[in-house]
Amino acid sequence: DQYFDGGAPYASCYTKTADYSTSTVQADMWGIGNALRNTQYAQSDTVTSWHDCFVAWAICNKGVSGTCPTTGSCSVPDASSVIPAADYWTYLSEFLHNSTDGAQFESAIVFADNTNTSITASRITFAMNGKVLTDSNYAVETMNGLRDVVSPYSSVSPIVYAYVFNFWEGYTVIKEETLRNVFLAAAAVFVVCLVLLANIWSAVLVLLMVGLIDVNILG
């Protein structure tokens, strides 16, 4: 933990059903990858976007406009490199099944049927900063921040999710829930004491003592 900060938890950005062959969706898919690489809440070198790698492969192998990135890189500088809709699904099938670059992404895409011409869902994976493991406030900030950075790309209805979000969601309400429960308990104690003692000052003193006991226990 001293040197490696406990490791970095991974998250994914999931995209939903859309016509991925359109220029609008292709631009949004590039935008999601670019947003994740440029946000402080993700480690830029861990962002793995199947769509960026697909476009990079198409530039290098299919003559799609753009600059072919160096070997092993999926760097596409902007959203101007668009795969023609007429060739999109043919190229995608070849990329996933007949190339070493795309084989790793077969599990990142869920097709609607065996024709492989419609995508139901896909995912882009990345690592969050290790600080989320030691700072609960930063963890909540990261969770909300990641959701915010992908939200503008609405054509694919992106959702950022990680298993640890189930626990971080609790951090967002714990203060409010704790204060509410303490005040409700105090009100209940006061009412019960007032009924049983039939004296408002005695009820106040009992409530005060209970409060001091809680302060002594909790600090």
Side-chain angles (χ1 to χ4, degrees):
D1 288 346
Q2 179 181 354
Y3 299 107
F4 298 103
D5 203 19
Y10 271 75
S12 295
C13 177
Y14 296 93
T15 61
K16 297 183 180 181
T17 302
D19 185 354
Y20 286 73
S21 65
T22 65
S23 58
T24 299
V25 172
Q26 290 187 53
D28 277 1
M29 289 298 293
W30 177 86
I32 290 172
N34 184 63
L36 291 173
R37 280 186 290 272
N38 287 283
T39 180
Q40 62 175 312
Y41 304 118
Q43 298 184 36
S44 60
D45 58 341
T46 67
V47 177
T48 307
S49 170
W50 68 268
H51 195 269
D52 285 354
C53 290
F54 173 40
V55 173
W57 173 85
I59 292 172
C60 297
N61 296 278
K62 296 298 181 180
V64 171
S65 63
T67 303
C68 180
T70 57
T71 302
S73 171
C74 294
S75 176
V76 179
D78 54 52
S80 63
S81 297
V82 177
I83 300 173
D87 300 318
Y88 188 89
W89 301 109
T90 302
Y91 288 175
L92 181 58
S93 180
E94 183 178 345
F95 171 68
L96 294 175
H97 304 299
N98 299 320
S99 75
T100 54
D101 295 329
Q104 61 179 310
F105 296 110
E106 285 192 61
S107 62
I109 303 172
V110 177
F111 289 98
D113 51 45
N114 293 331
T115 64
N116 292 351
T117 57
S118 178
I119 293 176
T120 299
S122 76
R123 69 181 175 192
I124 297 171
T125 59
F126 58 93
M128 294 176 283
N129 290 320
K131 185 180 176 181
V132 297
L133 297 175
T134 58
D135 187 336
S136 60
N137 290 325
Y138 185 75
V140 173
E141 181 185 336
T142 295
M143 178 177 65
N144 294 329
L146 288 170
R147 290 169 174 168
D148 289 340
V149 298
V150 303
S151 62
Y153 308 101
S154 57
S155 68
V156 288
S157 305
I159 298 173
V160 175
Y161 176 78
Y163 179 73
V164 289
F165 284 9
N166 294 314
F167 307 101
W168 295 353
E169 288 286 2
Y171 297 153
T172 64
V173 297
I174 191 169
K175 290 182 180 179
E176 177 185 342
E177 293 286 336
T178 299
L179 290 174
R180 184 182 66 182
N181 291 339
V182 167
F183 286 130
L184 287 175
V189 168
F190 178 76
V191 170
V192 170
C193 290
L194 183 61
V195 171
L196 295 179
L197 299 177
N199 186 291
I200 189 170
W201 294 113
S202 297
V204 169
L205 289 173
V206 171
L207 179 61
L208 179 61
M209 286 187 289
V210 171
L212 292 175
I213 291 171
D214 288 340
V215 171
N216 185 54
I217 294 174
L218 301 176

